[in-house]
Amino acid sequence: MKVASRAIVPTPFEIAILLTLFVLLLATLFTNSSVTENLSFWGQGFWSLLTFMTQMCLILLGGFVVATSRPVGRCLQSLAKIPQSALQVYLCTFGVSAVACWINWGLGLVVGAFFAKEVARQNPQAHFPLLVATSYMGFIFWHGGLSGSIPLTVGTAGNFSEKWLGDLIHFDQTVFSFFNLSLVACLLVSLSLLIIVLSRRVNRQGSVVAFQGDEEIAQEDGGIDESSIFSRPSFFVIVALMIFFLVLQISQGDFGFSLNQINFLLIVFGLILHGSLQAYMEAVQRGCRRLAPILVQYPLYAGIMGIMVQSGLAINISDAFVAVSSEATFPVYMFLSAGLVNLFVPSGGGQWAVQAPVVIEGAQQLGVPFWKVILAVSWGDAWTNLAQPFWALPLLSIVGLGIRDILPYCLQALLLSGIVISGFFLLA
């Protein structure tokens, strides 16, 4: 029975292919574009996100390199000794992942994965699939945090949506607003209560997952074998140049947590934490293996986005929500529409490019503050990641599980968080 039930669940790559066919069908049925036109849109969009894909891969790679350094590895191992029961293990893993994802989504995914492995190794009574699921639940906080693509975009001078917004929307109105921080706190409590309920349902004897050791976390050794006599001087030179450039940017007021600046920070921290070029490059090589699924699937999702944008399907979806909205319900509907669009376009920046014109115009017509709809779309994008396996791929590749193992728990988190977030936007 177990094999049969697992066999009917598609893999993430198969899901991307099925979504491609589904969107082609929807665009043909519900827009004025023909099949051949939609196929052309798909092909044109296939390579449209190469720059953004590179930025996203570098964020993930940078997070991996930082998380696999000795200092961070020691911190994770020390933290893993704190929880003593299975329930404490689940809650601690969720908390660590949520905080790390709020700081940086790439770092959070990797830190959460390694922390889940470490606490499972030290607490074999924990149910490993649920443990990994709690780690992935923390990913819902990323778009309300420091690395959120949409808040970063609308706060960056010269961004494409500035012409509609009329001005920049800074972090004090979005990420650091009382509304957003209160929502983060409410979700932390709500999902923690769900984890308590789930922990009572699972087998407390632990899972059958076998651990292979800490091959990813840097190990203590007797020293570092540098590849050449230039390695050490080169290391100090590049670190010094990068730090000097950071200080220069900050002093000139040019540092604003853009995607490129976050990647720059991750490279600097990765070099410093690993302590040598050789150790850093070894971590990079290990991390690159985790990027393969993203590199293969991202063009498919870029093609899907091409169909949705150029055929007008995404606009039709957003328009349908706008048509039934009032001033009070508009943010809720934008949250739900963003969640729906995210299933087909799992990219926060790409999704904002699709929805921004309709969302901003609707907010102007109904008198809804821009910051509110920006946060609504941001949280909607993060919300349905719990059901979209695309961003779970790096985490799953680290822990050695499949999407089938964690999906039942994530779907329950999806339902609860959707109710909480919708209620927050409706009542605020």
Side-chain angles (χ1 to χ4, degrees), residues 32-47:
N32 295 324
S33 303
S34 65
V35 175
T36 54
E37 288 175 326
N38 288 323
L39 186 60
S40 176
F41 297 152
W42 178 75
Q44 294 169 20
F46 205 77
W47 305 114

Side-chain angles (χ1 to χ4, degrees), residues 149-159 161 165 167-171 256:
S149 301
I150 297 175
L152 283 171
T153 298
V154 298
T156 301
N159 74 85
S161 56
L165 293 169
D167 200 359
L168 299 180
I169 309 296
H170 296 290
F171 263 26

Side-chain angles (χ1 to χ4, degrees), residues 3-153:
V3 174
S5 63
R6 288 171 63 91
I8 64 173
V9 180
T11 66
F13 193 45
E14 291 167 346
I15 290 174
I17 296 171
L18 292 173
L19 284 175
T20 300
L21 297 176
F22 182 61
V23 172
L24 272 171
L25 178 62
L26 287 180
T28 302
L29 293 177
F30 298 106
T31 70
N32 295 324
S33 303
S34 65
V35 175
T36 54
E37 288 175 326
N38 288 323
L39 186 60
S40 176
F41 297 152
W42 178 75
Q44 294 169 20
F46 205 77
W47 305 114
S48 63
L49 293 178
L50 286 181
T51 299
F52 190 72
M53 179 182 72
T54 303
Q55 292 172 319
M56 294 297 102
C57 286
L58 283 174
I59 281 184
L60 176 60
L61 181 60
F64 182 95
V65 170
V66 169
T68 54
S69 65
R70 287 181 188 170
V72 175
R74 292 192 195 108
C75 289
L76 294 179
Q77 291 166 359
S78 298
L79 283 174
K81 297 176 181 178
I82 297 176
Q84 299 300 314
S85 67
L87 176 58
Q88 291 175 8
V89 164
Y90 304 137
L91 292 175
C92 189
T93 301
F94 169 65
V96 168
S97 174
V99 171
C101 285
W102 190 87
I103 295 172
N104 176 268
W105 68 264
L107 180 65
L109 277 178
V110 177
V111 165
F114 284 124
F115 187 73
K117 290 183 70 173
E118 187 60 34
V119 294
R121 182 175 293 103
Q122 298 191 32
N123 300 270
Q125 76 277 17
H127 186 273
F128 192 54
L130 175 58
L131 180 61
V132 174
T134 61
S135 176
Y136 191 55
M137 289 177 194
F139 191 51
I140 195 174
F141 294 95
W142 84 272
H143 220 147
L146 300 180
S147 64
S149 301
I150 297 175
L152 283 171
T153 298

